[in-house]
Amino acid sequence: MHFSEQNSTFEKICSIPTDYDITFIKYKSRKTGLTVVLADIEAPLVNGFFTLATEACDDFGCPHTLEHLVFLGSEQFPYKGVLDTLANRAIAQGTNAWTDVDHTCYTITTAGSQGFLQLLPIYVDHILYPTLTDSGYYTEVHHINGKGEDAGVVYSEMQGCQNSGDDRIHLRMKRLMYPENCGYRSETGGLMERLRELSVDKIRSYHQSYYRPDNLCLVITGKVSEHKLLAALAPIEENIISKGTLPPMQRPWISTGNFPNLTDNITETVLFPDEDESMGTILIAWNGPMCNDYLQARALDVLNEYLTDSAVSVLQKEFVEIEEPLCTEVDFHITDHLKSTLMFTCTSVPIEEMEKVPSLFFATLQRLIDNNDIDMKRMEVVLEKEMLKLLDSAETEAHETAADLSISDFLYGAIDGSDLKKSVKIQQYLEQLTKFTKADWLNLMKRWYVDAPHITLFGKPSAQFAEDLAEEERQRVEKQRSDLGEQRLAELQKKLDDAKTANDMPLPNEVIENFEIPSVSTINFINVQTARNNDLGNFKNAVQERINRDDSADVPLFIQFDHIRSRFVNVSAHISAAGMPSHLLPYTRLFLKAIFSLPVQKGDTLLTYEDVVKGLSEDIIEYDATLGTSGGFREIVVFSLKAKASKYHRAVQWLEDILWHTQFTVERLKVLANLILNDIPQAKRDGHGMATASMRAFQFDASKSVSAARNILFQTDFLQEVLRQLENDPSSVLADLNAFRDALCRPENMRLHVSGDIMNLENPRTVFKNFSPATELTDLAPIVLSQEVLNPAGKTPGKVAAIVGLPSIENSYSLHTVKGPSRFDDPDIAPLLVLIELLDTMEGIFWKLIRGQGLAYSCFLNADIEAGLISYTIFKSPNAFKAFEQARLVITQLVNHEMQIEPSTVDGAKSAVIYSLVNRENTMERAALLSFVNQVLKQMPASYSRDIMSAIQNVTMDDLQRVLNKYLVHMFNPGTSNVVVVSAPAKIEEIQKGFEAVGFDMKSISLNDISPSFCV
């Protein structure tokens, strides 16, 4: 039936243009109350953020459990996984969702709008009319298995975070800040003890109360035809109307979100489990302004930036940038609630200093007030930078920026769009703030931070608490097992098996095949034009002509220019560390931490590090020194700066100064070495991070690799020795760091990249004429790939099998690696990407048989071509071996043709892989960077990404079987696979025995055992 806009039930409430290239159009249905916001953004991707206001005044986790159960099937499509299966065919990569304390948001991102609009009615059907079956609840939320252990996807997820330091501190803050009848105080994820008591009926009741069309807002961002959108909404409306009229509902949060303010100061200590008791966290919280006080909220954002944004800001300078740091990071955060909460966090605080930090914080703010001390010149810089960051976010994070504004307005704004019109005027509020006086800023500080009652929480790690938690859990499970008895446990296991069977009702092929896959030709790719300095005729376009005309000086450097539409320019140096002497490699982390905050010698003038940081703040929006780019090339040191286009020459000058004119000083190096050391205990509380760090330690040669040498597990002993040397023989450390810089910053090691509106840059080429000491163009040093710095265990996997105990976690993580393709033009890449997508995509084979059975929160494969390795990660698992064992069974059945791959799922996987490739170039900036990575670092043609897409479309079943047998089979063979498991101590013995039973010679070790000599 032809759709006519005149017959639409949707009324256009408002259309709101902005100063940052996003136009908001708000609709509301006259019949169902459904709200739709379309944010018009020029981009190849279309995003959906389907949001419900969700309020809960308990810790059962109904909002979070619903977020999971919605994906298990709907009234019109009662099949688990149908939504994700069809999403892949829409040129997407599955769906996702998040639960916040005040809303639940379901997301989808597609390449182009055709697949998005096709999927929209199916997605809304899942949200409003999910099946919510007993069996789905049993596997996805909580169950007790045949061993008497509590499990379920949601349960495992919360087990992984409930007792982390951050979660425990923030939950306690919420309990103290918000009254009993306020949902902001609840743990919407669900506390484990409440999840064990939850029922599916309670969830159904919650769904009935909150999952209604008049409490749903479809936020859509990207390039979508209004006519086609309204046509796609028509069947949704028709279906909702057919259900009949709903009783009126009270809008969530409006009556409970404005709670009484604190009346007194409160101070408490919160323990969290960790064997390293050296570093803790401090959280201070206050009541903040109402959400519609836009100017006040923006003023606080700017004040917070002023106080914390750089090494010369007051709080960083006095708490962080000192020889014995009181913390490694200071940070403010403002919640986006009806009434906001202001939070200040000090991270990695030495325990012995903890008690004095809050009083020093308040004394510092009071001193600023007493001395009338606001640096208005720096405040002017902060305000200008905030304006530029707004424009930058419209280019690099436009979808997220639009979604944040739209969701907040839906939750708390006026229905008629009047508040949305006010909230988007961010630039106007910033301009108003330029008129603030010193007194205005100090009064703001006094009102909200100094005079207001506050909560202070000391988050302290405790080894005893870790032991007590583990013992308490062991006794609880043991009692539960005993109380249930063998017969009841057997019944529970059967119930679980039956639930899995019921959930896995096959999805009819016609449902999949009836969903048409959009053509790749419908995707609106970003056009990037490339030029090179000193090009020999390889590039023929207007940009190259512009570069060739800028010929007033010799520039003996490799520079690639990538032209895009942007207000900003990115300048970066990608430097090969191939010639770095081995004894200097451990300095990498300290060097990168220091390089942008050191004094600079400018002729006869020495700029202090404070002058450098101030100067960078004035000229540069973002700057960074790191290893690698685009998730790889970690043997390349990358220095990058972003500035508005009119300051291009300043960005180039700053890059020159940072590379060659910075001065290492004993004072700065002491500060920075201590900051790194103080951050290490926090890093060691992250189970997934430690699995990755451990595997890298075992597989890469720290005597050859900058990436391996900077491994956090190797840095404690090295930096402690550096600090001793800085006291006793500082000249040796300064000499080493200068030698590090000399070895690194040679013109022949450098590949420079400039991206932006090249056609309108002043002197795009000759701005580099005095950049380096080079006088003539020399051959470039080769790019060192990660595969070239593997040690024997990395080159020939099968030699590493380790399990590491970590008291700060309650579950387990594992990482497994095998050899993979190692050439960027390897014909195996395309079928391998499709096979990986088939296996671990949402509702793919691993997803169904591992996550779907509660064996892990997630698991995923990754092909790292640059390293020549394929990895398999098991994330947040009650027992990593059980998840591994199930994956091994899947691969065996596929190899033996005992499990078949449906052709329709292959088509979906191909579309999903194409989406992932498009997503890598979904903004102007990312598209320009990919152009450089493909042509310079991978040394592939500019068409490389399109060539891979073409190869993906041509993958056959035989190709999939070939790469399955060639690579993935070896992941589960002890002789060809490396494995590292990080686990809660109580689970080590069981996991270790499991792996040993299938041939892995597992060694139980601690993080402290891992050193360069241990890993040889």
Side-chain angles (χ1 to χ4, degrees), residues 814-816 846 850 855-856 859 872 874 877 879-891 970-974 977-979 981 994-995 998 1000:
S814 69
L815 186 59
H816 312 256
F846 281 170
I850 295 173
L855 297 176
C859 55
Y872 176 55
I874 295 169
S877 170
N879 183 319
F881 172 71
K882 290 180 180 178
F884 171 84
E885 185 179 39
Q886 182 75 334
R888 185 178 67 146
L889 176 62
V890 166
I891 296 299
H970 302 299
M971 189 74 74
F972 305 93
N973 182 341
S977 169
N978 290 333
V979 55
V981 179
F995 278 103
V998 295
F1000 288 90

Side-chain angles (χ1 to χ4, degrees), residues 962-994:
R962 184 185 78 251
V963 294
L964 176 70
N965 287 291
K966 186 174 179 179
Y967 301 111
L968 295 196
V969 164
H970 302 299
M971 189 74 74
F972 305 93
N973 182 341
T976 54
S977 169
N978 290 333
V979 55
V980 170
V981 179
V982 174
S983 169
K987 300 175 184 286
I988 286 177
E989 185 178 353
E990 183 182 4
I991 294 173
Q992 184 172 357
K993 284 180 178 176

Side-chain angles (χ1 to χ4, degrees), residues 920-992:
R920 294 176 192 174
E921 48 182 307
N922 69 330
T923 67
M924 298 285 178
E925 187 176 301
R926 292 182 71 178
L929 177 58
L930 188 66
S931 170
F932 178 82
V933 169
N934 283 344
Q935 296 183 77
V936 179
L937 302 185
K938 293 182 178 178
Q939 298 178 44
M940 291 287 111
S943 61
Y944 181 67
S945 294
R946 307 294 182 274
D947 297 342
I948 291 284
M949 287 183 200
S950 297
I952 284 162
Q953 290 174 307
N954 294 325
V955 167
T956 66
M957 285 288 194
D958 288 343
D959 293 332
L960 296 176
Q961 199 68 37
R962 184 185 78 251
V963 294
L964 176 70
N965 287 291
K966 186 174 179 179
Y967 301 111
L968 295 196
V969 164
H970 302 299
M971 189 74 74
F972 305 93
N973 182 341
T976 54
S977 169
N978 290 333
V979 55
V980 170
V981 179
V982 174
S983 169
K987 300 175 184 286
I988 286 177
E989 185 178 353
E990 183 182 4
I991 294 173
Q992 184 172 357

Side-chain angles (χ1 to χ4, degrees), residues 751-959:
R751 291 161 173 84
L752 299 173
H753 185 217
V754 178
S755 67
D757 185 355
I758 307 298
M759 299 299 286
N760 290 306
L761 289 180
E762 184 179 354
N763 303 325
R765 175 180 174 274
T766 55
V767 73
F768 286 95
K769 63 184 178 182
N770 299 316
F771 182 77
S772 84
T775 56
E776 59 182 27
L777 196 61
T778 58
D779 290 338
L780 288 171
I783 293 166
V784 177
L785 301 179
S786 294
Q787 59 193 258
E788 297 171 50
V789 292
L790 292 167
N791 63 19
K795 290 175 181 175
T796 312
K799 300 178 174 67
V800 174
I803 184 164
V804 183
L806 202 62
S808 58
I809 62 176
E810 294 190 49
N811 42 29
S812 62
Y813 302 78
S814 69
L815 186 59
H816 312 256
T817 60
V818 292
K819 293 297 289 179
S822 57
R823 296 189 346 265
F824 293 110
D825 58 355
D826 193 312
D828 286 347
I829 291 174
L832 185 59
L833 291 176
V834 174
L835 180 62
I836 287 172
E837 188 67 32
L838 272 168
L839 289 170
D840 67 22
T841 187
M842 292 178 187
E843 295 306 330
I845 298 170
F846 281 170
W847 180 278
K848 288 179 180 176
L849 297 177
I850 295 173
R851 177 181 164 115
Q853 298 195 21
L855 297 176
Y857 180 69
S858 66
C859 55
F860 44 92
L861 288 152
N862 179 58
D864 184 348
I865 311 303
E866 191 230 339
L869 295 169
I870 300 169
S871 64
Y872 176 55
T873 299
I874 295 169
F875 186 84
K876 284 187 184 176
S877 170
N879 183 319
F881 172 71
K882 290 180 180 178
F884 171 84
E885 185 179 39
Q886 182 75 334
R888 185 178 67 146
L889 176 62
V890 166
I891 296 299
T892 301
Q893 290 179 339
L894 286 170
V895 168
N896 295 335
H897 301 283
E898 297 166 7
M899 181 185 294
Q900 301 300 320
I901 297 174
E902 292 292 334
S904 58
T905 63
V906 176
D907 292 337
K910 289 179 181 180
S911 293
V913 176
I914 288 170
Y915 161 79
S916 71
L917 295 172
V918 176
N919 190 43
R920 294 176 192 174
E921 48 182 307
N922 69 330
T923 67
M924 298 285 178
E925 187 176 301
R926 292 182 71 178
L929 177 58
L930 188 66
S931 170
F932 178 82
V933 169
N934 283 344
Q935 296 183 77
V936 179
L937 302 185
K938 293 182 178 178
Q939 298 178 44
M940 291 287 111
S943 61
Y944 181 67
S945 294
R946 307 294 182 274
D947 297 342
I948 291 284
M949 287 183 200
S950 297
I952 284 162
Q953 290 174 307
N954 294 325
V955 167
T956 66
M957 285 288 194
D958 288 343
D959 293 332

